[in-house]
Amino acid sequence: MAILEAKGVTKRFGGLLAVDAVDFQIDERMIAGLIGPNGAGKTTFFNIVTGVHRPDSGSISFCDRTIKNLKPHRITELGIGRTFQNIRLFASMTALENVLVGQHCRLRSGVVGAIVRDMSTQNEERYAWRRAEELLEFVGLQEKQDFLAKNLPYGDQRRLEIARALATRPKLLLLDEPTAGMNPQETRELTEFIRRLKTELGLSILLIEHDMKLVMGVCDRVTVLDYGVKIAEGTPTEMQRNPRVIEAYLGRTASSQPGVGHGAS
Amino acid sequence: MSSVHKGAFDSVRDWSHRLAPPWISQVLGRHKRLTLATLFLLALLLPLRADSYQVHILGYIGLFAMMGVGLNVVVGFAGLLDLGYVAFFAIGAYTYALLASPQFGLHIPFWFVIPVAVAIAALAGVLLGIPVLRMRGDYLAIVTLGFGEIIRLVLNNLDPVTRGPQGLSSIDRPSIPLISFTLDTPIHFYYLILIACVLSMFIAGRLENSRVGRAWVAMREDEDAAAAMGVDLIKYKLLAFAIGASFAGFGGVIFAARQGSIFPADFTLMVSINVLALVIIGGMGSIPGVVVGAIILVGLPEVLRDIQQFRMLVFGALLVAMMIFRPEGFISAARQRSEVQRIRELGSVKTTS
């Protein structure tokens, strides 16, 4: 059953057709990869799904609910969590506080509760702290919960961003280049971690990735974008052999995209 | 940041840290209750050793501290640079002045006006907030600055209601009903302001360490990421404006009652700038910092009264020096404090609970 379904999604920025009539579908408990050369419209597609951009045409539904015109915070509430391509943590908050903010849409206490600090608020806070600690433990940051996010090493920041996204209790998790800037060892660990998200938490995951080893390792299906157009879709091995995909990456001009390896844009 | 002021400044900066060192925040953190109780006791006893003029100044410090706490919610927590903050102070003051003076022959009791004025100021905060929702930084500052001036100009020109530049006078003194006690000396008002200050700080402190406060700080750090975490940006921005404004409205009511007469000239841009300056000097986002800032910014000019014509000069120099040597303010916000110390704090919390 499809958890996210996009039909004919199109987005223009002035004269640039960033995403052109893309159909896309992801099923429950599936890891889908979104690949393509730099500027292919992958992140734009993410931003449309998460409500940062509104599509010019087309429809998107999540769990059979249209989410096309919803604001980002509403979409998060419905169950789509995300990370960002260039890590965007709350830099001068601690790791724990970052995860607490992630739980924002699952907590209820408001201004009055905050001031009076009644029983339900206290219980909620205690629960939120415990859950934040659990999530930090899940990503292996339990020792670093009181570090300011900006002082964490790069790999930890990536992990914290995932913990923060998990705190929103997503059904679908969007990861935008999770391995950008990681070394092979960290990438291997992350591959394993993404598999755990699917098996242990039962999440559906959509990831944008340039690291083909990761894509081959975890994705059930891969969608390839080029100049905003979906040019191919299928299993990772199919995509590896698909002539259009190879052309998109290597064939246009001699100088573009020499390797498919690490292309952090 | 760090690469900007390297070199000659560094040694001076180290020295400045020793002068207004992290131990202030450390002591505040470690013995929080004790420190607060001592400071409160000091504030209670202070006026007994001061003459009436000094008490009046202490009251001013309190009013500014209150406004600082409110502006700190908007600027320090939510990161919305508001330069028209005086408008809400004016709204609070004029609300009381109009409802409790011979102007319209109304004499509504002080205690009833407080919630009304606070609500009106909060509403004004929301009304200011709506058009500036999409603005950040400099643009937001300019629009809010304009808003502050608009309110002052309206008060100055709406003669039939506000009597324009002549202001409103013979404003009622607050009285405590059952014991029919009327507040009319600087000492009475000092204690009233002290209570209001403590209340404001309590509320702001509670908000800071809550889901609401976290959402504000997240918004300040990164709006888009905050939205992706489910923070409703519109709601939390308006909430910050409304809550910040309500503190100023509250302060305005007390100000009007204390002065007995108020004029549009009391609510100039300088007030907004002073409040912002005390928030920055004290330490953005830090509530104890606001108190220190208020003492320095309101108290220092009085101490410097002997060198009247150089006052602003000294001030300017102080501000510039602060920005260079202690950009995080005298008492930096809890989050910016040494992490090691925070870990220690949390450790001790955990072992006791």
Side-chain angles (χ1 to χ4, degrees), chain A residues 47-54 65-80, chain B residues 133-134 224 226-235:
Chain A
N47 284 337
I48 292 169
V49 172
T50 52
V52 176
H53 298 320
R54 258 175 212 195
R65 242 195 96 143
T66 177
I67 57 166
K68 189 174 145 184
N69 292 318
L70 293 183
K71 290 227 150 91
H73 71 269
R74 290 280 300 126
I75 292 175
T76 307
E77 263 174 53
L78 288 175
I80 300 183
Chain B
L133 277 173
R134 285 170 180 281
D224 298 330
M229 295 305 116
V231 176
D232 184 344
L233 297 180
I234 293 178
K235 180 178 160 189

Side-chain angles (χ1 to χ4, degrees), chain A residues 109-181:
Chain A
S109 65
V111 173
V112 177
I115 295 168
V116 182
R117 218 172 262 183
D118 53 315
M119 278 316 281
S120 71
T121 309
Q122 286 183 33
N123 289 337
E124 192 181 81
E125 280 292 289
R126 238 173 275 143
Y127 162 79
W129 275 67
R130 212 170 328 125
R131 187 147 179 272
E133 284 167 358
E134 282 165 17
L135 282 163
L136 286 175
E137 200 176 333
F138 186 71
V139 299
L141 289 175
Q142 64 275 29
E143 305 295 321
K144 299 185 175 165
Q145 62 173 40
D146 298 313
F147 281 61
L148 296 186
K150 63 180 169 198
N151 295 344
L152 288 173
Y154 188 83
D156 287 351
Q157 292 195 2
R158 285 261 173 227
R159 285 199 260 183
L160 178 57
E161 227 197 355
I162 295 177
R164 188 182 67 174
L166 290 175
T168 67
R169 285 194 188 284
K171 296 183 189 106
L172 171 66
L173 184 62
L174 307 187
L175 303 173
D176 197 345
E177 291 193 29
T179 67

Side-chain angles (χ1 to χ4, degrees), chain A residues 52 71-74 76-77 80-82 84 87-94 97-98 100-112 114-117 124-125 128-129 133 143 145-148 150-151 161 164-165 168, chain B residues 134 136 199 202-236 239 243 334-340 342-344 346-347 349-350:
Chain A
V52 176
K71 290 227 150 91
H73 71 269
R74 290 280 300 126
T76 307
E77 263 174 53
I80 300 183
R82 76 170 293 179
F84 294 87
I87 303 174
R88 292 177 76 166
L89 289 165
F90 306 121
S92 55
M93 296 175 99
T94 64
E97 284 172 324
N98 269 275
L100 284 172
V101 174
Q103 295 181 63
H104 182 87
C105 61
R106 303 295 167 220
L107 305 176
R108 284 289 145 258
S109 65
V111 173
V112 177
I115 295 168
V116 182
R117 218 172 262 183
E124 192 181 81
E125 280 292 289
W129 275 67
E133 284 167 358
E143 305 295 321
Q145 62 173 40
D146 298 313
F147 281 61
L148 296 186
K150 63 180 169 198
N151 295 344
E161 227 197 355
R164 188 182 67 174
T168 67
Chain B
R134 285 170 180 281
R136 302 183 196 190
L199 185 68
F202 173 77
I203 292 175
R206 280 278 168 101
L207 283 172
E208 186 186 8
N209 297 305
S210 73
R211 171 172 174 266
V212 178
R214 289 193 299 263
W216 280 334
V217 176
M219 207 164 68
R220 178 191 76 196
E221 297 284 304
D222 189 329
E223 267 191 21
D224 298 330
M229 295 305 116
V231 176
D232 184 344
L233 297 180
I234 293 178
K235 180 178 160 189
Y236 279 89
L239 198 60
I243 288 176
R335 282 186 187 82
Q336 318 255 313
R337 266 190 271 142
S338 130
E339 289 167 57
V340 178
R342 267 182 67 86
I343 291 164
R344 229 178 269 147
L346 287 162
V349 169
K350 238 181 248 161

Side-chain angles (χ1 to χ4, degrees), chain B residues 33-45:
Chain B
R33 289 253 161 89
L34 192 69
T35 318
L36 286 181
T38 315
L39 288 176
F40 183 68
L41 202 68
L42 199 69
L44 271 181
L45 298 176

Side-chain angles (χ1 to χ4, degrees), chain A:
Chain A
M1 192 202 121
I3 184 165
L4 180 81
E5 196 168 13
K7 278 191 191 133
V9 170
T10 302
K11 178 72 192 174
R12 257 183 216 92
F13 293 114
L16 176 80
L17 198 53
V19 174
D20 187 3
V22 168
D23 293 326
F24 181 82
Q25 189 175 318
I26 176 167
D27 299 337
E28 268 177 57
R29 284 172 162 266
M30 177 194 244
I31 300 181
L34 190 59
I35 64 169
N38 290 332
K42 307 180 296 288
T43 298
T44 305
F45 183 75
F46 257 41
N47 284 337
I48 292 169
V49 172
T50 52
V52 176
H53 298 320
R54 258 175 212 195
D56 295 317
S57 60
S59 68
I60 309 173
S61 63
F62 177 67
C63 295
D64 298 322
R65 242 195 96 143
T66 177
I67 57 166
K68 189 174 145 184
N69 292 318
L70 293 183
K71 290 227 150 91
H73 71 269
R74 290 280 300 126
I75 292 175
T76 307
E77 263 174 53
L78 288 175
I80 300 183
R82 76 170 293 179
T83 66
F84 294 87
Q85 185 175 355
N86 36 355
I87 303 174
R88 292 177 76 166
L89 289 165
F90 306 121
S92 55
M93 296 175 99
T94 64
L96 189 90
E97 284 172 324
N98 269 275
V99 183
L100 284 172
V101 174
Q103 295 181 63
H104 182 87
C105 61
R106 303 295 167 220
L107 305 176
R108 284 289 145 258
S109 65
V111 173
V112 177
I115 295 168
V116 182
R117 218 172 262 183
D118 53 315
M119 278 316 281
S120 71
T121 309
Q122 286 183 33
N123 289 337
E124 192 181 81
E125 280 292 289
R126 238 173 275 143
Y127 162 79
W129 275 67
R130 212 170 328 125
R131 187 147 179 272
E133 284 167 358
E134 282 165 17
L135 282 163
L136 286 175
E137 200 176 333
F138 186 71
V139 299
L141 289 175
Q142 64 275 29
E143 305 295 321
K144 299 185 175 165
Q145 62 173 40
D146 298 313
F147 281 61
L148 296 186
K150 63 180 169 198
N151 295 344
L152 288 173
Y154 188 83
D156 287 351
Q157 292 195 2
R158 285 261 173 227
R159 285 199 260 183
L160 178 57
E161 227 197 355
I162 295 177
R164 188 182 67 174
L166 290 175
T168 67
R169 285 194 188 284
K171 296 183 189 106
L172 171 66
L173 184 62
L174 307 187
L175 303 173
D176 197 345
E177 291 193 29
T179 67
M182 282 189 171
N183 64 33
Q185 168 64 22
E186 288 170 324
T187 305
R188 267 195 301 279
E189 283 171 20
L190 191 81
T191 311
E192 197 40 53
F193 180 71
I194 290 173
R195 274 204 211 98
R196 276 178 65 201
L197 292 179
K198 180 177 133 175
T199 51
E200 288 178 30
L201 304 179
L203 295 182
S204 305
I205 297 166
L206 171 59
L207 52 96
I208 292 177
E209 197 40 81
H210 282 297
D211 187 296
M212 285 306 132
K213 230 188 267 156
L214 179 92
V215 172
M216 299 301 148
V218 300
C219 292
D220 301 309
R221 210 186 53 213
V222 178
T223 303
V224 189
L225 289 184
D226 189 27
Y227 291 104
V229 181
K230 183 166 98 176
I231 57 169
E233 194 165 40
T235 65
T237 25
E238 279 167 23
M239 289 307 99
Q240 234 172 349
R241 294 197 207 101
N242 187 310
R244 288 198 65 188
V245 177
I246 295 167
E247 186 199 300
Y249 270 100
L250 304 169
R252 287 283 149 83
T253 60
S255 62
S256 74
Q257 296 288 330
V260 186
H262 298 281
S265 52

